[in-house]
Amino acid sequence: EPAGQTILPRPHAGVRIYPDRIVYGRNLPLRPCLSCRRRPPTSRAESAEMLSLSRSIGRRCLSRFGQSALHRSCSSTAVVDQEPPKILITGGLGQLGRGLASRLRARYGRSSVILTDILKPTAAVVKDGPYRFADILDFKLLQEMIVNERITWMFHFSALLSAVGEQNTALALRVNIEGLHNVMELAKQYDLRLFVPSTIGAFGPTSPRNPTPDLTVQKPSTIYGVSKVHAELMGEYYHRKFGLDFRCLRLPGVISADTAPGGGTTDYAVHIFHEAIRNRAYKCYLREDTRLPMIYIDDCLRAMVEVMECDPRLLKQRVYNLQAISFTPAELAKEIRRHMSNFQITYEPDFRQQIADTWPQVLDDSRARADWGWKHLVDTPDLVELMLQYLSHHYEFNAGRVAN
Ligand SMILES: NC(=O)c1ccc[n+]([C@@H]2O[C@H](COP(=O)([O-])OP(=O)(O)OC[C@H]3O[C@@H](n4cnc5c(N)ncnc54)[C@H](O)[C@@H]3O)[C@@H](O)[C@H]2O)c1
Ligand SMILES: C[C@@H](O)[C@H](N)C(=O)O
């Protein structure tokens, strides 16, 4: 958080975007089945009754739509008495961690999620729920936390992203590779369900770029990409060899309003909104025609929760591409101009252009859509509207506070 500024609650695209999300009394993440519309049970008796019913209805749903995660609430009547997970998030004070923690806390309870990082937390972070210092390179400290807190799920976010990784290769190797080894070993030892995000950066100049399939050549040209391919392969290996419940999504560039990106090649697509509101102008470090896959943070966080909650039988692979939208800086600027006609963009490509030139333009995520029901909800026009709305409000609000 910028010093002295208040971060307003982010406008989730709200009911319009999450019509199906309901959290139930026992902290269980049950939702009405999107196809048959039955609501999940609210009592043990109702659960037993629905369990027998769900056998037939569930089968009907499955035969209509194939094995889709959208139907898991039909069969999830069977897990009403299961304990909610106890979740640890590493590298949680970056762009993605706080939003994920708040989403998981809403589903499983405030104390079910422990956010960790090496950064000093703001008062708001501490108020939101448990926060602990944890250096990903400190195996013993992580081990102690997993044991004492009875952790069952881990989201491993600590990493140096593509642009900062290129500026400090030695540190990227330690955090992204040594850190991952610690996490994998602990997840294996303590039988954790482990989510590690991968990235479009796990592909390289020899991968097909439009669309990029799940299974193809992966020879990235950044240390970030190399470390993520390593993470994918290690996860698949630990899954095969030790049965580790490893789950991984290759994420596009994430666009968020209430958190800042941590030094990637796709960061322009967040900075552009701040500069549009403050100065009506932006100097872009990528060429105008650089097309990259992107995703709005709400879609991204929802995907991670959905894949972690997903019945393992639906997962036919451990690593999935995730696609939402794709645009170039020129296309994004054009969309911003629909709301702000005097917005100006200029281009001055730097070293990040070479990185972007090797990355996919569009990911083929048909397997994620077919296997566990992935569907993005926010398209580019919605995203631009949400970002401009939120940030205008944010800057006006903070300017008002300074003036008063
Ligand atoms: N944001 C995106 O666009 C995007 C896209 C694809 C994949 N991902 C992946 O998602 C994950 C989270 O991304 P993000 O955008 O929040 O990253 P970020 O750079 O914003 O945050 C990373 C966090 O890791 C922490 N960290 C660094 N060194 C550490 C250490 N030694 N021990 C513990 N923590 C340490 C940092 O303090 C930081 O808060 C990363 O693994 C990233 O590769 C992100
Ligand atoms: C794409 C993603 O991994 C990150 N935003 C980066 O640009 O490095």
Side-chain angles (χ1 to χ4, degrees), residues 161-163 199-201 224 251-254 263-267 359:
L161 271 56
S162 58
T199 163
I200 49 174
Y224 176 60
L251 305 176
V254 181
T265 303
T266 58
D267 293 12
W359 282 3

Side-chain angles (χ1 to χ4, degrees), residues 44-54:
R44 192 186 287 259
E46 204 181 358
S47 160
E49 188 190 324
M50 285 178 80
L51 178 58
S52 64
L53 249 178
S54 75

Side-chain angles (χ1 to χ4, degrees), residues 111-363:
S111 58
S112 290
V113 180
I114 301 178
L115 199 59
T116 70
D117 205 303
I118 51 174
L119 303 176
K120 193 169 170 186
T122 59
V125 168
V126 175
K127 195 167 148 249
D128 284 351
Y131 174 81
R132 305 280 156 71
F133 170 88
D135 186 338
I136 202 65
L137 299 172
D138 189 340
F139 186 90
K140 270 252 161 270
L141 180 82
L142 291 169
Q143 186 177 29
E144 215 173 288
M145 207 179 298
I146 288 166
V147 170
N148 291 343
E149 300 290 345
R150 306 185 62 246
I151 297 298
T152 54
W153 288 11
M154 173 143 49
F155 287 82
H156 174 47
F157 282 175
S158 311
L160 263 61
L161 271 56
S162 58
V164 289
E166 288 312 287
Q167 316 285 19
N168 194 342
T169 312
L171 185 63
L173 273 174
R174 294 206 67 205
V175 175
N176 296 13
I177 295 189
E178 271 179 60
L180 176 95
H181 290 172
N182 287 342
V183 163
M184 300 285 298
E185 203 43 43
L186 286 165
K188 180 191 112 195
Q189 253 182 51
Y190 294 103
D191 198 19
L192 308 183
R193 183 174 296 184
L194 173 64
F195 179 84
V196 179
S198 186
T199 163
I200 49 174
F203 297 102
T206 48
S207 314
R209 295 182 67 206
N210 191 348
T212 308
D214 275 307
L215 276 179
T216 187
V217 179
Q218 284 184 268
K219 286 177 170 288
S221 54
T222 60
I223 190 63
Y224 176 60
V226 169
S227 71
K228 289 294 185 178
V229 175
H230 177 73
E232 293 179 9
L233 292 173
M234 286 291 288
E236 287 173 344
Y237 176 78
Y238 268 56
H239 174 67
R240 249 190 338 269
K241 178 129 179 150
F242 307 114
L244 175 69
D245 191 351
F246 171 80
R247 304 179 183 207
C248 174
L249 299 176
R250 294 194 190 103
L251 305 176
V254 181
I255 300 178
S256 59
D258 58 350
T259 49
T265 303
T266 58
D267 293 12
Y268 91 85
V270 175
H271 298 153
I272 193 171
F273 291 102
H274 289 265
E275 292 305 304
I277 286 163
R278 288 193 297 211
N279 304 316
R280 299 285 189 269
Y282 178 63
K283 185 163 78 182
C284 185
Y285 57 78
L286 295 181
R287 258 191 344 260
E288 61 179 338
D289 60 349
T290 312
R291 181 173 304 284
L292 289 171
M294 301 280 181
I295 188 168
Y296 185 57
I297 187 147
D298 283 5
D299 272 341
C300 173
L301 300 176
R302 182 172 50 81
M304 293 192 279
V305 174
E306 282 183 6
V307 82
M308 277 298 264
E309 288 177 352
C310 178
D311 181 332
R313 287 167 300 184
L314 298 180
L315 299 175
K316 301 209 180 85
Q317 54 200 53
R318 291 285 138 183
V319 181
Y320 284 94
N321 283 353
L322 196 81
Q323 169 70 25
I325 49 186
S326 277
F327 50 71
T328 65
E331 288 165 358
L332 185 59
K334 189 171 165 203
E335 198 60 48
I336 292 175
R337 254 183 242 115
R338 285 157 59 95
H339 301 263
M340 197 184 272
S341 54
N342 56 351
F343 173 67
Q344 302 283 337
I345 185 163
T346 51
Y347 301 95
E348 204 171 290
D350 67 14
F351 73 99
R352 288 168 281 194
Q353 183 66 53
Q354 275 117 56
I355 299 178
D357 284 342
T358 69
W359 282 3
Q361 298 183 323
V362 176
L363 293 177

